[in-house]
Amino acid sequence: MKKRHLIYIACLSVGMGACSSILKNQNEVADNAWNEYNVGTVIFEDKAPETKGSDIYHRIIPDAESYIKEQARTVLATLYKSPEDSIVPVDKIHYTLEDIEGISAKGGDGGEVTIFYSTRHIEKSFAENDTAKLFFETRGVLLHELTHAYQLEPQGVGSYGTNRVFWAFIEGMADAVRVANGGFDGPNARPKGGNYMDGYRTAGYFFVWLRDNKDPEFLRKFNRSALEVIPWSFDGAIKHILGAEYSIDELWHEYQVAVGDIQA
């Protein structure tokens, strides 16, 4: 398929090793039921065609709409067990390239999603003319933002802007999906110390560790816990998934010992 060939071209510039996880995940998605799932209409709009970042993006992602749909299916397969699950409905994804500060962000609701990607960030990521590095970063950022489009949200604990538990779950899961699909530079990108309430990579690597060491379905069950644990809490979700004998703080301590950040 043409889309697969694009990945191989990017990988060949520096060798296949750097992109092996990308290829693995692409193949997994293509061979399961998610391949026919309607991820919503993708509208790609370049609002900064005169920028260097725009030119670079179009060279590495010549078919943006198809590429975004592929990554959306990777996200869905990570968050949900099957297309029959209770999935957040997404009718439209309006994805834009924009000449602004920042990296990328998701907006919108009610099935109408917007995501921007900064051409300035593209230029910074391509500063060493490393095509594979930029492709890797672009995919990772997209996985994170698409997770925000499809993930379930905690109930009974305020909102993203008013409650840190809500915020930490949302941002931690978005980076967990990125970690789980090879979207970061392995252990090198894992922040040391901190707390799961820090969200993002700190929580994301922890959630993936729980998947790898406690329950292979943890990420999907954790996402679904937003529907089943009300009011939602980290400890409540952990007990719901793993059993009453577990606690979030004890698991965090076990994880920190396991990865070598603290002594037992």
Side-chain angles (χ1 to χ4, degrees), residues 127-237:
E128 300 175 356
N129 295 321
D130 190 333
T131 300
K133 179 180 178 181
L134 174 60
F135 188 89
F136 185 83
E137 169 69 2
T138 296
R139 178 176 179 269
V141 169
L142 182 57
L143 288 171
H144 179 105
E145 301 304 343
L146 285 171
T147 299
H148 288 327
Y150 297 104
Q151 71 188 140
L152 295 166
E153 297 183 348
Q155 300 178 65
V157 288
S159 63
Y160 183 92
T162 64
N163 186 281
R164 190 165 182 84
V165 170
F166 189 111
W167 173 89
F169 173 85
I170 293 296
E171 295 298 351
M173 279 298 288
D175 269 0
V177 170
R178 183 172 175 177
V179 173
N181 290 286
F184 284 115
D185 185 20
N188 295 329
R190 184 188 66 80
K192 293 184 178 181
N195 185 272
Y196 57 87
M197 288 292 288
D198 295 335
Y200 290 105
R201 284 179 295 156
T202 301
Y205 274 86
F206 174 46
F207 298 161
V208 172
W209 181 85
L210 289 170
R211 181 203 66 178
D212 294 342
N213 293 276
K214 301 300 179 181
D215 186 338
E217 288 292 310
F218 180 80
L219 293 181
R220 291 167 180 157
K221 291 179 179 179
F222 200 50
N223 179 56
R224 187 174 177 81
S225 73
L227 297 177
E228 300 171 335
V229 179
I230 304 171
W232 194 90
S233 69
F234 278 104
D235 203 52

Side-chain angles (χ1 to χ4, degrees), residues 24-190:
K24 179 177 181 291
N25 285 303
Q26 293 291 338
N27 290 333
E28 288 175 352
V29 170
D31 294 334
N32 63 34
W34 294 106
N35 201 41
E36 302 302 320
Y37 184 82
N38 181 11
V39 301
T41 300
V42 175
I43 300 172
F44 174 77
E45 181 181 4
D46 187 349
K47 292 186 176 182
E50 73 288 349
T51 63
K52 181 180 178 182
S54 168
D55 178 66
I56 296 168
Y57 182 90
H58 285 286
R59 281 192 277 124
I60 68 165
I61 312 285
D63 185 353
E65 292 181 7
S66 295
Y67 183 71
I68 292 165
K69 287 182 177 180
E70 282 191 80
Q71 303 315 311
R73 292 188 173 98
T74 294
V75 168
L76 286 160
T78 308
L79 289 174
Y80 299 96
K81 190 171 184 177
S82 79
E84 283 69 49
D85 286 351
S86 297
I87 300 172
V88 175
V90 173
D91 299 317
K92 182 172 70 175
I93 299 173
H94 186 190
Y95 188 91
T96 58
L97 295 183
E98 300 187 32
D99 183 14
I100 55 179
E101 289 299 323
I103 299 175
S104 185
K106 176 262 182 185
D109 54 30
E112 301 281 325
V113 173
T114 62
I115 298 174
F116 84 79
Y117 190 32
S118 170
T119 56
R120 299 180 192 181
H121 180 68
I122 294 171
E123 291 170 20
K124 291 176 183 177
S125 300
F126 195 63
E128 300 175 356
N129 295 321
D130 190 333
T131 300
K133 179 180 178 181
L134 174 60
F135 188 89
F136 185 83
E137 169 69 2
T138 296
R139 178 176 179 269
V141 169
L142 182 57
L143 288 171
H144 179 105
E145 301 304 343
L146 285 171
T147 299
H148 288 327
Y150 297 104
Q151 71 188 140
L152 295 166
E153 297 183 348
Q155 300 178 65
V157 288
S159 63
Y160 183 92
T162 64
N163 186 281
R164 190 165 182 84
V165 170
F166 189 111
W167 173 89
F169 173 85
I170 293 296
E171 295 298 351
M173 279 298 288
D175 269 0
V177 170
R178 183 172 175 177
V179 173
N181 290 286
F184 284 115
D185 185 20
N188 295 329
R190 184 188 66 80

